[in-house]
Amino acid sequence: EERFIDSSKIKTALSDWKFPLIFLDFETINPAIPIFNGTSPFMQTPFQYSLHVVNSPEEFEAPKHKEFLFTESVDPRSALIKKIIEDFKDYQKGSVVAYYSRFEAQCLQSLEDLTNDLDEKNSLKNIRERLVDPLPIFRESVYDSKFGNSYSIKSVAPAILGENFTYKNMIVSDGGSAQRAYQDIISNKLPKEIKDKLAKGLLEYCQKDTYVLVLLVKWLFQIK
């Protein structure tokens, strides 16, 4: 097994990050034929997020968790805006950590563009402007032969954290299956117990994304 770590580069990159760290992951749909008014073909429409919060370097062991999943058959974005602003109420400062943060930035920007409420716009902008991204740190400072030439979180997590952190055998195991599960839930064609099972799968999947991110960032902070 080969692993290369540039520890000084990692330390430099992390020195700009500020606690509390708020780990954020959105799930979205981007159907070719828009489902909701005001969306266009292939536009990313967020319907779910997971947040883990680590207040200090000592708190990586017990991060706080918040989550949101909209399962009604109407546009999820207004409800999501209100909930994410409420969940960030106590976290007006600190770095917002997202893996491939450009995606989360685009989601937040689209929500900013959607709302006409100035306070909501400013709150969403505040979250967006605090985004930091561990992906470039891994890409530039960590190499592991188990990555298999991929820096996706699905490749990096099991290589760094161990095989327990694969996404195998989950009801929802990747972004594509998350989209399908959500579309099945809002189609109103399924019995309640199957909808509930899919919703549970979505919550577990999104929570795992941010929890894995917590552990990967903890690993970065612990490099001597």
Side-chain angles (χ1 to χ4, degrees), residues 153-173:
I153 201 162
K154 307 281 189 298
S155 304
V156 172
I160 297 288
L161 304 170
E163 283 305 309
N164 290 347
F165 293 93
T166 67
Y167 285 70
K168 289 180 193 133
N169 305 321
M170 294 180 72
I171 297 168
V172 174
S173 59

Side-chain angles (χ1 to χ4, degrees), residues 124 139 182:
L124 292 163
R139 205 182 264 144
Y182 173 70

Side-chain angles (χ1 to χ4, degrees), residues 12-167:
T12 305
L14 293 175
S15 64
D16 294 337
W17 292 23
K18 295 182 177 56
F19 283 87
L21 300 179
I22 305 106
F23 295 80
L24 172 63
D25 179 68
F26 285 114
E27 295 305 324
T28 62
I29 47 161
N30 58 340
I33 299 164
I35 303 175
F36 306 117
N37 285 342
T39 60
S40 49
F42 302 111
M43 178 177 164
Q44 299 287 1
T45 306
F47 60 86
Q48 177 183 14
Y49 65 78
S50 171
L51 290 180
H52 273 94
V53 182
V54 174
N55 282 303
S56 68
E58 297 71 47
E59 277 193 28
F60 274 109
E61 300 307 322
K64 294 183 175 64
H65 183 243
K66 295 169 182 282
E67 63 190 357
F68 172 86
L69 171 62
F70 197 79
T71 56
E72 294 166 40
S73 304
V74 293
D75 191 333
R77 293 174 296 169
S78 299
L80 187 149
I81 288 170
K82 290 191 171 29
K83 182 73 163 65
I84 199 168
I85 289 170
E86 183 191 319
D87 283 345
F88 268 89
K89 197 167 71 243
D90 297 332
Y91 308 109
Q92 298 294 318
K93 293 188 167 66
S95 298
V96 180
V97 185
Y99 202 83
Y100 188 63
S101 64
R102 187 188 301 172
F103 180 75
E104 270 63 30
Q106 285 169 345
C107 289
L108 288 161
Q109 182 70 65
S110 73
L111 297 171
E112 281 171 59
D113 295 342
L114 178 72
T115 179
N116 295 317
D117 182 306
L118 205 56
D119 288 341
E120 288 184 349
K121 269 192 200 301
N122 287 334
S123 296
L124 292 163
K125 183 175 180 225
N126 172 277
I127 298 169
R128 179 172 56 80
E129 288 181 340
R130 288 150 54 201
L131 280 165
V132 296
D133 193 343
L135 172 56
I137 303 178
F138 277 99
R139 205 182 264 144
E140 289 159 29
S141 311
V142 184
Y143 169 78
D144 189 301
S145 55
K146 287 185 184 164
F147 290 172
N149 295 327
S150 165
Y151 279 92
S152 90
I153 201 162
K154 307 281 189 298
S155 304
V156 172
I160 297 288
L161 304 170
E163 283 305 309
N164 290 347
F165 293 93
T166 67
Y167 285 70

